[in-house]
Amino acid sequence: MVSFALKTSISLTIFSICTLVQLIQSIPVIKLPPNIKIPAVLVFGDSIVDPGNNNNMVTLAKGNYLPYGRDFEGGNPSGRFSNGKIPTDLIVEALGIKELLPAYNDPSLGPNDLLTGVSFASGAAGYDPLTSKLATAISMDKQMDMFKAYLAKVTAIAGEEKAKSILSESVYLVVAGSDDLANTYYGSKLRNNYDIPAYTDFMVQGASSFIQELYDLGARRIGVLGTPPIGCLPSQRTLAGGKARNCVENYNEAAQLFNSKLTSALDKLTSNFVHGRAIYVDIYNPLQYIIDHPDKYGFEEVTRGCCGTGTIESTFLCNELNPFTCDDVSKYVFWDSYHPTQKAYELLFGPIVKKYLNSFLCDNGLC
């Protein structure tokens, strides 16, 4: 007869192995095509990909306090706007570069951190300069200035030849637009001199100028995420979805209009690039599918975030003094009223990396 202690030990061992297998499966390492390498990932944009650049700034857009990060490295609130890892962490791990993508403003960065990539993104930034100004975020122009300073550091560390190689072979991600629509246009009403067609044109102009400058500086593999279905974010359901807190359809239509225009603009840019490409990455439809079919992924709640009541709390309103934060985050698509959970990110970005990788790396998507 097997003793209780031994049974318990075996059970715990099996549980530990199963948990490890699940973690490994959730972040699969991608095998790159022959003779292709990605030395670094470099990221620009907003809170979706900000790992802590706002931490030491005077701004409300911060996530460096609990319960943010409660499932990140033993409960470390690093500045990531989620309960755990964010998309850029999952991407660099899937590419086999490193486990986490750090913030450029992290004072503990070492030479290898710089050579393998950083994020310049800032929570609440946008293509519209007013968006960053309203939230005291690092604007896209200032993020570009940070990138130029980064290039000088990499050249000093590795030499001019290797720096050029890192510059041309790295993958660049640009993630912005949600805050422009949700916060500036619909939230502040300060751009009401524009209608939505005109404002989305303005956003696309800002995105195109930013991407063109990246290319002019030497970037060749540029991925640009579209905006998600912002009308289905918990905060927008609360603010504009009526008593039933439905998805706000005109917000979603604005996001789709911007995404359509962005796709066309990137195609036009790429047609003029020599040995370079700017690829549109669809996040709208994959996230909408999860929201529409939560049971397929083990989710039980899509209209509220885990933090607080989940209806309005984000950034400073999502704090450890709030007694309503959920116990089981795995049941939630959203961590707070604006940002997805690590589980949702894993479900979204595993397929996205596989779908778009060859488009980043190879002419006509063929390697």
Side-chain angles (χ1 to χ4, degrees):
M1 180 179 289
V2 180
S3 69
F4 174 78
L6 182 55
K7 285 182 179 179
T8 303
S9 176
I10 292 172
S11 297
L12 288 173
T13 300
I14 292 173
F15 174 79
S16 298
I17 291 172
C18 290
T19 301
L20 180 60
V21 169
Q22 288 175 346
L23 288 172
I24 292 171
Q25 289 176 340
S26 69
I27 312 172
V29 175
I30 303 294
K31 185 177 180 180
L32 296 178
N35 303 317
I36 295 288
K37 61 180 179 178
I38 302 174
V41 173
L42 297 159
V43 180
F44 307 83
D46 58 26
S47 58
I48 298 297
V49 287
D50 177 3
N53 281 309
N54 283 12
N55 286 359
N56 296 317
M57 293 172 54
V58 180
T59 176
L60 295 177
K62 294 185 182 183
N64 60 336
Y65 45 82
L66 291 171
Y68 286 103
R70 77 177 195 188
D71 302 305
F72 180 81
E73 293 195 326
N76 173 31
S78 63
R80 289 165 170 80
F81 293 83
S82 187
N83 63 302
K85 293 181 178 180
I86 56 175
T88 42
D89 300 320
L90 304 175
I91 290 168
V92 293
E93 189 167 10
L95 294 175
I97 296 174
K98 51 188 175 183
E99 184 180 359
L100 302 169
L101 191 76
Y104 179 69
N105 284 343
D106 184 342
S108 67
L109 285 185
N112 191 59
D113 294 312
L114 293 171
L115 296 178
T116 52
V118 292
S119 174
F120 306 95
S122 173
Y127 293 122
D128 180 350
L130 180 60
T131 300
S132 302
K133 186 176 181 179
L134 289 172
T136 323
I138 303 170
S139 69
M140 298 300 285
D141 284 346
K142 289 183 179 178
Q143 289 182 39
M144 185 64 74
D145 290 340
M146 291 161 65
F147 175 58
K148 292 173 183 176
Y150 161 86
L151 292 179
K153 291 179 182 179
V154 169
T155 301
I157 294 168
E160 189 170 346
E161 201 63 33
K162 187 173 181 180
K164 286 182 179 179
S165 176
I166 291 171
L167 181 62
S168 64
E169 295 176 345
S170 293
V171 166
Y172 297 76
L173 293 177
V174 183
V175 185
S178 298
D179 292 299
D180 295 319
L181 289 171
N183 296 342
T184 303
Y185 190 82
Y186 289 115
S188 75
K189 311 292 186 184
L190 293 176
R191 290 297 194 191
N192 277 4
N193 53 315
Y194 293 86
D195 59 15
I196 275 295
Y199 189 66
T200 50
D201 283 342
F202 179 57
M203 290 170 62
V204 169
Q205 182 181 8
S208 297
S209 297
F210 187 87
I211 293 153
Q212 181 67 57
E213 187 168 3
L214 271 182
Y215 175 81
D216 291 342
L217 288 170
R220 293 295 179 264
R221 301 166 173 174
I222 307 168
V224 187
L225 267 69
T227 54
I230 60 169
C232 293
L233 302 181
S235 59
Q236 306 311 306
R237 289 175 183 263
T238 301
L239 294 170
K243 290 183 178 179
R245 298 186 65 251
N246 295 316
C247 289
V248 189
E249 290 308 320
N250 62 312
Y251 287 20
N252 284 349
E253 289 167 3
Q256 290 174 305
L257 179 62
F258 169 72
N259 291 341
S260 175
K261 292 178 178 181
L262 179 64
T263 303
S264 298
L266 296 178
D267 288 344
K268 184 176 180 180
L269 283 170
T270 296
S271 69
N272 293 319
F273 289 170
V274 179
H275 304 304
R277 56 195 63 82
I279 304 298
Y280 172 77
V281 178
D282 176 27
I283 191 69
Y284 185 102
N285 289 300
L287 181 55
Q288 187 66 65
Y289 188 85
I290 290 175
I291 291 169
D292 290 341
H293 305 91
D295 54 309
K296 289 188 177 182
Y297 307 97
F299 293 119
E300 297 179 10
E301 179 57 74
V302 300
T303 69
R304 300 171 183 266
C306 169
C307 188
T309 65
T311 57
I312 198 68
E313 294 89 349
S314 183
T315 63
F316 71 100
L317 292 177
C318 174
N319 60 70
E320 62 181 331
L321 299 178
N322 197 310
F324 302 110
T325 298
C326 74
D327 294 324
D328 188 355
V329 70
S330 70
K331 297 178 181 178
Y332 288 73
V333 172
F334 293 98
W335 163 246
D336 60 16
S337 70
Y338 205 90
H339 305 94
T341 60
Q342 178 178 320
K343 177 183 173 181
Y345 281 141
E346 289 171 348
L347 290 167
L348 287 167
F349 282 88
I352 280 175
V353 172
K354 290 181 181 178
K355 178 179 179 180
Y356 291 99
L357 185 61
N358 279 0
S359 298
F360 286 131
L361 302 180
C362 317
D363 291 325
N364 300 317
L366 299 175
C367 295

